[in-house]
Amino acid sequence: MKKKIIIFVILILLVCALFGIIISSKKINVKTDIVLNINNISSSLENIVENKREKEYVDENEMQIGLYIDEGSTKRLVDKYYCDFDLENVMGIFYAIPTKEEAVNGENFKSIFDTYYNRYENKEKYKIGYNIKFELKDGRVIDETILNPDDAFYMFPKVQCFLYDDINLIPSRPYYHITQDIMTEDRICSSIKLVGDKESKNIISPIELTVFTFDGEDDFTPITRKYRGNNKYTIYIYKK
């Protein structure tokens, strides 16, 4: 009987030992898999960093830009502007001109614009865009890039926003803001008009209006889609 008990105990010990070896083997495999995964992730990160270095953004755009207000025969560069934020009130009309001179003279805007625009080689590849940023009293921060009428439409009802092409006027058509159906590669968003809307009274910060020139998708960050070039100009619109 004692022999049977001893044999039984030995068998149990052998089974436990064998089970322990299997568990240890699995642990080793798990550790190996973890190490391999870490190495793969590390390698992927290195590749991402390397690709980023290879594709590092370089701004080769030379076209300057400024925002001007109309003073009759003179367009004057503006950095601060004061107006009412009331519903349907025209807050301001701002003209984008490819210069940063303090004042430019002339009554024909196309002639003024072309004087500076034609100084740049391959000028046709450059486009004009805008960014509007402000804070509402409920804590929301509005920070929108506007490249076309559809982008401008999404500003409603916080602020009414309209884009104009003062360079390529359509014959026999009354002067009117650009609509999406006529927004082509030839359009130049040379001016922007802001009008008070239903939520404009809730704006608690200055309106930060930025104009910029760009020539391609690389001028915008891949994730946030914000302009990252150097040729921009910002004005601050304050509530009276």
Side-chain angles (χ1 to χ4, degrees), residues 31-170:
K31 289 181 180 179
T32 303
D33 290 341
I34 291 173
V35 171
L36 289 174
N37 286 334
I38 291 173
N39 289 337
N40 289 336
I41 292 171
S42 177
S43 179
S44 297
L45 289 174
E46 288 178 1
N47 289 334
I48 291 172
V49 172
E50 191 62 31
N51 289 335
K52 186 176 181 181
R53 288 173 180 167
E54 292 176 0
K55 299 177 182 179
E56 185 176 356
Y57 171 69
V58 177
D59 185 14
E60 297 179 345
N61 177 6
E62 297 180 351
M63 183 175 285
Q64 293 189 0
I65 198 73
L67 276 177
Y68 292 75
I69 55 173
D70 185 14
E71 295 184 349
S73 60
T74 301
K75 298 287 189 296
R76 189 168 302 281
L77 188 68
V78 61
D79 58 355
K80 296 178 182 178
Y81 188 83
Y82 297 85
C83 65
D84 293 322
F85 286 13
D86 299 332
L87 177 64
E88 298 299 335
N89 177 64
V90 177
M91 300 166 73
I93 302 173
F94 306 97
Y95 298 86
I97 304 176
T99 181
K100 289 183 180 177
E101 293 182 11
E102 290 190 8
V104 293
N105 297 319
E107 296 186 358
N108 185 293
F109 182 78
K110 176 176 171 53
S111 297
I112 295 173
F113 186 91
D114 285 344
T115 297
Y116 299 95
Y117 186 64
N118 292 332
R119 294 177 181 178
Y120 295 93
E121 296 183 4
N122 302 317
K123 57 184 180 294
E124 294 83 5
K125 72 178 183 179
Y126 295 116
K127 304 298 179 184
I128 296 176
Y130 300 87
N131 194 89
I132 297 179
K133 182 178 180 181
F134 54 83
E135 183 180 356
L136 296 168
K137 66 180 181 181
D138 62 6
R140 284 180 295 162
V141 175
I142 308 302
D143 188 357
E144 298 293 337
T145 299
I146 298 174
L147 305 181
N148 56 57
D150 275 354
D151 294 335
F153 178 77
Y154 286 117
M155 293 303 301
F156 293 59
K158 296 172 283 293
V159 173
Q160 296 180 44
C161 181
F162 303 96
L163 300 174
Y164 293 84
D165 183 350
D166 306 279
I167 313 304
N168 302 301
L169 299 177
I170 300 176

Side-chain angles (χ1 to χ4, degrees), residues 67 78-83 85 94 133 205-210 233-239:
L67 276 177
V78 61
D79 58 355
K80 296 178 182 178
Y81 188 83
Y82 297 85
C83 65
F85 286 13
F94 306 97
K133 182 178 180 181
S205 69
I207 297 175
E208 191 175 315
L209 176 62
T210 300
Y233 185 82
T234 300
I235 68 170
Y236 295 90
I237 303 171
Y238 294 89
K239 183 183 295 187

Side-chain angles (χ1 to χ4, degrees), residues 175-232:
Y175 184 71
Y176 196 69
H177 62 266
I178 305 170
T179 52
Q180 194 63 37
D181 60 307
I182 63 169
M183 185 66 191
T184 65
E185 286 296 317
D186 297 326
R187 288 280 157 218
I188 297 176
C189 300
S190 58
S191 61
I192 184 170
K193 179 169 73 173
L194 302 182
V195 179
D197 209 337
K198 294 178 182 178
E199 292 188 35
S200 298
K201 63 183 179 181
N202 298 324
I203 298 174
I204 62 172
S205 69
I207 297 175
E208 191 175 315
L209 176 62
T210 300
V211 63
F212 54 83
T213 58
F214 66 100
D215 60 5
E217 286 293 319
D218 64 329
D219 288 320
F220 301 89
T221 57
I223 297 175
T224 64
R225 304 299 302 144
K226 293 302 178 185
Y227 180 72
R228 57 178 175 178
N230 298 318
N231 287 306
K232 60 184 178 180

